[in-house]
Amino acid sequence: YKLGLIAFSRGEYPKALEALQKAQSMTRNPAFGVDYDLALGDIYAALKQTDSASVCYQRALDQSKLLVGAYSDNSLHHLRVGKAALRLKAPELAETELELALFLEERMFYVGQILLAKGELLDLKKDRKAAREQYQQILDMPTGYLEKQQARKYLKTPYKN
């Protein structure tokens, strides 16, 4: 999974696709399946295969809603719903779920992921100033390398879905 994400961040889409499909075929954990679908959707979107991306995002949304229904106090499930809704252009649902995720989460690594998604949402809503504040906050906190890399990118160029 992580090899796929790293390959994706480097623009190596075929390699990323292969790694993520292999990882997805070996998992039985529904939460990981959602993460794989979100990542695969991003790869397909980068490859301009919008139908395949939409299928992955919809599957991620459907499965993550089931997880939220079973484990409503788990911030990561709300984050997954928020990310899928964001990619499917459902900003109201994304905003609600990301706010819930942020309220429930204390671990800085995941707070960084939530803030990144909130920044993306704000960019889509054309609130560039607030989006930049979210991205800067990620850089100012101890969070993941890939989140910081994306935040630097989005500080220069707004996120586009």
Side-chain angles (χ1 to χ4, degrees):
Y1 173 74
K2 292 192 181 203
L3 291 175
L5 294 181
I6 291 168
F8 177 70
S9 73
R10 293 180 177 166
E12 301 169 0
Y13 303 135
K15 186 176 179 179
L17 193 59
E18 180 182 339
L20 284 164
Q21 287 173 333
K22 182 176 180 179
Q24 187 179 41
S25 71
M26 294 188 297
T27 189
R28 299 286 179 249
N29 184 324
F32 292 154
V34 172
D35 293 336
Y36 297 144
D37 279 330
L38 288 168
L40 286 168
D42 289 346
I43 294 166
Y44 286 127
L47 292 169
K48 308 288 189 233
Q49 297 178 17
T50 55
D51 290 342
S52 295
S54 293
V55 167
C56 288
Y57 294 144
Q58 189 61 55
R59 193 170 45 227
L61 180 62
D62 294 343
Q63 188 64 36
S64 58
K65 281 183 175 181
L66 291 173
L67 291 168
V68 164
Y71 308 99
S72 62
D73 62 343
N74 186 317
S75 65
L76 298 183
H77 299 323
H78 289 284
L79 172 60
R80 290 175 177 112
V81 172
K83 283 182 172 182
L86 178 65
R87 301 302 193 266
L88 289 168
K89 297 178 174 69
E92 296 83 14
L93 177 60
E95 186 170 18
T96 300
E97 292 298 324
L98 292 172
E99 287 297 330
L100 277 168
L102 190 58
F103 176 76
L104 293 168
E105 188 56 65
E106 295 176 351
R107 298 166 291 184
M108 295 310 284
F109 177 77
Y110 295 113
V111 169
Q113 291 184 23
I114 296 165
L115 293 176
L116 184 64
K118 286 185 67 176
E120 292 170 348
L121 176 65
L122 290 164
D123 266 338
L124 291 179
K125 292 171 88 175
K126 307 289 188 214
D127 189 347
R128 186 70 178 137
K129 181 180 179 201
R132 291 179 60 83
E133 289 171 4
Q134 297 294 305
Y135 302 139
Q136 189 58 52
Q137 193 173 352
I138 293 165
L139 298 178
D140 295 341
M141 65 189 335
T143 188
Y145 171 78
L146 293 176
E147 287 77 28
K148 287 184 182 287
Q149 184 180 25
Q150 285 297 108
R152 283 186 198 95
K153 175 183 168 186
Y154 294 150
L155 278 169
K156 294 176 186 173
T157 307
Y159 170 78
K160 293 182 178 148
N161 192 353

